[in-house]
Amino acid sequence: MTASITVKKIDGTLISEERILSFRFRKNSYLPYTLLNAQLHAEYADFENSAEIFFYIDQKLVHHGLIDSLKVTCSGGGRIVSLVSRGFTSLLCQNQIEPGLKSNITFNQLMDGYYTLPYITHEDNSGQTGYIFVSGKTTMWDGIVNLSYKFCGTYPYIRETNCVRITPVSNPAVFSYQDDDLLCRGFSMNGRRIMSHYHMADMSGDYGQYEYENPEAAAYGIVRHKYSELDKEFLYEPDNALVFYDKLASKSHKVFFCRYSGYNGEDLSDILSFGSIHSERIEGIEITGSSKGIITELSVYHDKF
């Protein structure tokens, strides 16, 4: 099993490098882009004007992104390139649209109606209309998150390299691993974000009308109160805003994971079975590599989404 990186320069020139010293690739259901960190021993000399990164495992494209940083160090006649790249869907977190209430908007209209962002695709979903409230801090990704929850009760995720989805794929690949196939399997949990009580002001700025208590917090011994102003994203259904906040705080609260040698092509929303996990959706993928080989860690989340 081999990994390779192709760098595209602004003039279209492609630089292919296969002597990768180490890499770490990540994607999960709550990360709005794929993320690659890599170091390679470069054959090519000129990396100025580099623009895009393609990352392959056994010729399967698993990442296509912008360059966040790229550093070339020359020593002893060799060149070491260190790079960080985020998928093009990261642009959704860096673009805003004109502030105001956007009524009767579909997911397709939000994705296609404002900017032409390179290489970003999305599922075809125009059957439902909703609204988003765009403030001075709202990004396109915030709007996608809002519509995803209102339409489907879900959180959006990135399938393949740069495809935005708000629903599970209808024909997922299925993967099943026995303990003999795995390097390890395990469980983790994180309670740092969990709140016990949410309080939101009404139109007059007064508190007391919109309240929500997390029924699970007491079992963990957690007492954390959070106050917020009226959320105009939920102007027509303010009570639902507090339920949404509670779900956000639970993201990846409990994680079941397994780790194996190699990479078998899994993607988010595919079906996974291992240990006590039976036919659940994959929600986290981390692939690491070095001279010792490639290792994949797959995760399933148990949270309120």
Side-chain angles (χ1 to χ4, degrees):
M1 179 163 284
T2 60
S4 63
I5 288 175
T6 296
V7 179
K8 184 178 181 180
K9 303 181 73 172
I10 59 176
D11 64 0
T13 301
L14 298 177
I15 305 167
S16 295
E17 298 284 356
E18 296 186 355
R19 292 199 295 171
I20 300 178
L21 300 175
S22 64
F23 70 84
R24 182 189 184 203
F25 167 80
R26 287 193 298 138
K27 67 187 309 185
N28 66 58
S29 294
Y30 301 123
L31 189 65
Y33 45 80
T34 57
L35 179 62
L36 175 69
N37 295 70
Q39 276 197 329
L40 54 97
H41 194 164
E43 299 284 350
Y44 194 77
D46 181 14
F47 283 86
E48 290 188 31
N49 300 318
S50 297
E52 301 172 23
I53 298 293
F54 300 82
F55 177 59
Y56 301 86
I57 298 179
D58 277 357
Q59 300 181 331
K60 174 184 172 63
L61 180 64
V62 296
H63 171 83
H64 179 200
L66 300 148
I67 295 175
D68 279 355
S69 65
L70 187 149
K71 179 180 180 181
V72 181
T73 303
C74 300
S75 177
R79 285 175 294 274
I80 303 299
V81 177
S82 301
L83 62 88
V84 178
S85 172
R86 286 183 295 174
F88 280 90
T89 53
S90 62
L91 294 174
L92 295 168
C93 306
Q94 299 167 331
N95 278 278
Q96 299 175 326
I97 55 182
E98 183 180 358
L101 184 66
K102 312 298 180 183
S103 301
N104 300 317
I105 190 171
T106 68
F107 175 67
N108 285 358
Q109 289 170 339
L110 177 59
M111 294 298 302
D112 302 328
Y114 293 96
Y115 304 110
T116 301
L117 302 177
Y119 306 113
I120 297 176
T121 61
H122 60 86
E123 70 170 271
D124 183 11
N125 192 318
S126 60
Q128 296 170 290
T129 60
Y131 67 92
I132 58 173
F133 183 83
V134 182
S135 67
K137 298 180 180 179
T138 304
T139 66
M140 289 187 68
W141 182 256
D142 294 329
I144 295 167
V145 170
N146 189 274
L147 288 183
S148 181
Y149 178 67
K150 288 178 179 177
F151 291 167
C152 314
T154 60
Y155 198 90
Y157 66 97
I158 309 303
R159 175 86 174 176
E160 299 170 345
T161 53
N162 291 290
C163 180
V164 181
R165 293 193 60 89
I166 63 174
T167 63
V169 292
S170 57
N171 294 297
V174 178
F175 299 88
S176 180
Y177 296 102
Q178 303 300 316
D179 283 351
D180 290 345
D181 303 319
L182 302 174
L183 298 173
C184 66
R185 59 182 172 90
F187 162 80
S188 67
M189 64 181 293
N190 186 339
R192 288 177 295 179
R193 293 189 299 266
I194 293 177
M195 296 289 166
S196 61
H197 297 78
Y198 294 88
H199 315 272
M200 188 173 70
D202 60 17
M203 288 289 289
S204 301
D206 298 323
Y207 290 91
Q209 181 176 358
Y210 304 122
E211 305 281 326
Y212 181 83
E213 181 177 352
N214 176 4
E216 297 178 357
Y220 291 110
I222 294 173
V223 179
R224 296 178 184 138
H225 288 254
K226 181 175 183 179
Y227 286 79
S228 62
E229 297 178 351
L230 180 67
D231 189 342
K232 294 182 180 178
E233 289 281 12
F234 292 87
L235 194 60
Y236 303 137
E237 45 189 353
D239 288 312
N240 201 18
L242 303 182
V243 177
F244 180 57
Y245 296 161
D246 185 52
K247 289 190 174 187
L248 288 177
S250 80
K251 290 191 303 183
S252 60
H253 171 49
K254 296 179 180 179
V255 180
F256 294 83
F257 64 89
C258 68
R259 197 175 296 147
Y260 69 88
S261 181
Y263 172 58
N264 294 327
E266 296 93 346
D267 205 344
L268 299 186
S269 197
D270 285 340
I271 301 297
L272 176 65
S273 297
F274 69 93
S276 62
I277 300 300
H278 300 289
S279 300
E280 298 192 29
R281 298 276 179 173
I282 295 174
E283 296 190 80
I285 300 172
E286 180 172 311
I287 310 171
T288 56
S290 67
S291 59
K292 297 180 180 180
I294 293 174
I295 294 175
T296 297
E297 180 174 296
L298 305 174
S299 298
V300 167
Y301 299 158
H302 285 188
D303 56 30
K304 294 183 180 181
F305 276 110

